């Protein structure tokens, strides 16, 4: 390949598709397997991500209508995160009261659908990003707001359900 030639447009699709397939391979291995759920640790990732987003927005705040799009993305991410949290199976061992979570096939399919939606929105965002660095930063801000809502509300839904199940198991034992 000459230094002046651009890479094949096919590579723009093959590389992300390969990465998605690799991630799905590892995720499929954990579908149906119960993992210990530590409710007391569910706050760590959302807090870290919220601090990171706060720092990013403090250093380079969105301008104009981008704030509204960030709020819309936060709301959409929150709703989708809550839905994905509902698809996660949470169980309580009746004897030890140990919580576990299992990734359901529906949750994995939901994850795949989000990846596909992200790919479509990325292609749509290229038109916005074509407006230079400001367009690219706007798209990044919007996606980061979406991710914050998604992460926070997935964890909140799982935590609330886990606490309800644990309280019910403890009440049944008495």
């Amino acid at each position: 390949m000459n230094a002046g030639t651009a890479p094949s447009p096919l590579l723009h699709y093959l590389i992300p598709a390969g990465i998605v397939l690799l991630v799905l391979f590892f995720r499929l291995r954990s579908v149906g397997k119960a993992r210990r759920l530590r409710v007391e640790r569910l706050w760590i990732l959302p807090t870290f991500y919220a601090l990171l987003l706060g720092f990013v927005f403090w250093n380079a705040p969105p301008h104009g209508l981008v704030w509204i799009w960030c709020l819309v993305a936060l709301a959409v991410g929150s709703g989708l995160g809550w839905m994905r949290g509902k698809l996660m199976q949470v169980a309580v061992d009746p004897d030890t009261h140990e919580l576990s979570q299992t990734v359901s096939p529906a949750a994995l399919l939901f994850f795949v659908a989000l990846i596909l939606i992200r790919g479509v929105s990325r292609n749509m965002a290229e038109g916005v990003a074509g407006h230079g660095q400001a367009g690219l930063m706007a798209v990044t801000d919007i996606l980061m707001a979406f991710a914050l809502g998604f992460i926070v509300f997935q964890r909140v839904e799982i935590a609330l359900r886990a606490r309800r199940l644990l309280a019910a198991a403890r009440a049944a034992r008495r």
Side-chain angles (χ1 to χ4, degrees):
M1 179 186 302
N2 293 338
T5 60
S8 167
L10 189 58
L11 284 178
H12 289 288
Y13 296 102
L14 289 179
I15 292 173
I19 292 170
V20 167
L21 289 174
L22 185 65
V23 167
L24 287 176
F25 170 75
F26 287 110
R27 298 288 274 182
L28 278 172
R29 293 176 44 188
S30 67
V31 169
K33 294 181 183 175
R35 293 183 322 185
R36 185 169 180 205
L37 174 62
R38 293 183 174 104
V39 177
E40 65 277 3
R41 292 186 183 175
L42 287 175
W43 65 273
I44 296 171
L45 179 64
T47 302
F48 172 76
Y49 193 76
L51 290 172
L52 175 68
L53 185 63
F55 178 75
V56 168
F57 278 15
W58 181 67
N59 279 324
H63 297 285
L65 292 176
V66 177
W67 275 113
I68 293 171
W69 285 110
C70 285
L71 291 174
V72 169
L74 180 70
V76 170
S78 299
L80 291 175
W82 190 272
M83 286 173 45
R84 183 157 194 268
K86 284 195 136 335
L87 293 173
M88 305 290 282
Q89 297 169 358
V90 178
V92 179
D93 184 298
D95 297 325
T96 64
H97 293 156
E98 187 173 289
L99 291 161
S100 63
Q101 75 177 17
T102 306
V103 176
S104 70
L108 184 64
L109 290 174
F110 187 76
F111 182 70
V112 170
L114 284 177
I115 290 171
L116 293 174
I117 290 169
R118 183 187 178 280
V120 169
S121 65
R122 188 176 117 206
N123 288 338
M124 290 171 43
E126 286 177 0
V128 175
H131 296 292
Q133 187 176 359
L136 183 59
M137 287 188 65
V139 170
T140 304
D141 291 344
I142 293 166
L143 291 175
M144 288 179 71
F146 173 87
L148 177 65
F150 189 85
I151 292 168
V152 168
F153 279 88
Q154 176 184 343
R155 302 274 177 133
V156 166
E157 202 294 319
I158 290 172
L160 291 174
R161 191 159 28 107
R163 288 177 192 224
R164 275 194 313 267
L165 289 171
L166 189 56
R170 288 180 177 155
R173 192 168 191 185
R174 293 181 188 158

